[in-house]
Structure formats: C-alpha cells, structure tokens
Amino acid sequence: MRLTGVSTGNAMEAGIGALWGEDPRYFRTSGGSFGRRVRNIVKMTFVARRQNGNFAPAYARYVATAGNNVLSNTWRVDSEADAQHAAVRTLLGFVGRVGSNAFQEFWADVRIHILKRKP
C-alpha cells in the first residue's frame, strides 16, 4: 500500500515540479557543522532549487504529498479512507522526507567510518 502512495507522489512531484521549474533533488552540505547540516536537512524538506539556482518553497512537493494521500483514499479500506488519515499520512510523508534527506546528508560520512575507507 505504501509503495503505491510513494510512487504516485514521486510521479506527481516530478511532473508538477518540471512544469513549475522545481528541482526536487537533495543537495548536501558536507563539511559544515553538524547543526548546519541538520538545518539543511530540514530546509531541503520544504524548499526546492529553481531554474535560476535560487531556493523557493517546494510547491510541487506540497501538492504531490497531500494530493497523493487524498488520492490514495480511493483504494484504501473505509476505516483509513478519510481526511484525518490522509492528513496523518501527509505529515508522515514529510517526516519520511526528513529521514531520506538525513540519510543522503550523512551516509557518505558514516560509510567511511564503517568501512574504514576514504571516499
């Protein structure tokens, strides 16, 4: 069930974002302080890079995350197919994005320590 929602949301974000000139990729800030990197993780959850290189609210992500969770009500059981459950899934979608960003931000550094290799 989760895979269909994530796939639908990613397709919606990519399509709408392409129309609106948003780049949904995560951009690391390796080398900064831990606090700076955590701030970047949170920031990149809610903003996207535009064609001109500036950052702005990730409107396509907002529409896609909420929209895919409302849309998924059509194939969910009645006990989970309401606005309250869609709102919780939307919130969890953004929490998941924070987790994904954190993985992308720190995995390269963690891998070096685990494998004892240089990048």
Side-chain angles (χ1 to χ4, degrees), residues 22-68:
E22 294 180 9
D23 184 350
R25 295 177 297 172
Y26 179 77
F27 294 94
R28 293 182 67 219
T29 58
S30 59
S33 69
F34 180 77
R36 181 171 178 233
R37 294 175 78 181
V38 169
R39 283 190 299 278
N40 187 60
I41 289 166
V42 174
K43 171 187 162 189
M44 292 300 296
T45 300
F46 299 102
V47 301
R49 186 170 280 176
R50 303 290 184 195
Q51 291 173 335
N52 63 6
N54 294 331
F55 289 98
Y59 295 119
R61 183 171 304 140
Y62 306 156
V63 169
T65 303
N68 107 65

Side-chain angles (χ1 to χ4, degrees), residues 10-108:
N10 287 344
M12 289 173 68
E13 182 179 355
I16 296 167
L19 290 173
W20 292 346
E22 294 180 9
D23 184 350
R25 295 177 297 172
Y26 179 77
F27 294 94
R28 293 182 67 219
T29 58
S30 59
S33 69
F34 180 77
R36 181 171 178 233
R37 294 175 78 181
V38 169
R39 283 190 299 278
N40 187 60
I41 289 166
V42 174
K43 171 187 162 189
M44 292 300 296
T45 300
F46 299 102
V47 301
R49 186 170 280 176
R50 303 290 184 195
Q51 291 173 335
N52 63 6
N54 294 331
F55 289 98
Y59 295 119
R61 183 171 304 140
Y62 306 156
V63 169
T65 303
N68 107 65
N69 284 299
V70 170
L71 178 64
S72 76
N73 283 343
T74 61
W75 61 76
R76 291 183 180 272
V77 295
D78 290 341
S79 63
E80 293 180 2
D82 57 26
Q84 181 179 3
H85 283 90
V88 169
R89 289 191 304 270
T90 299
L91 175 65
L92 292 175
F94 282 101
V95 170
R97 175 69 68 150
V98 169
S100 173
N101 290 352
F103 182 83
Q104 290 180 65
E105 181 70 39
F106 293 113
W107 176 245

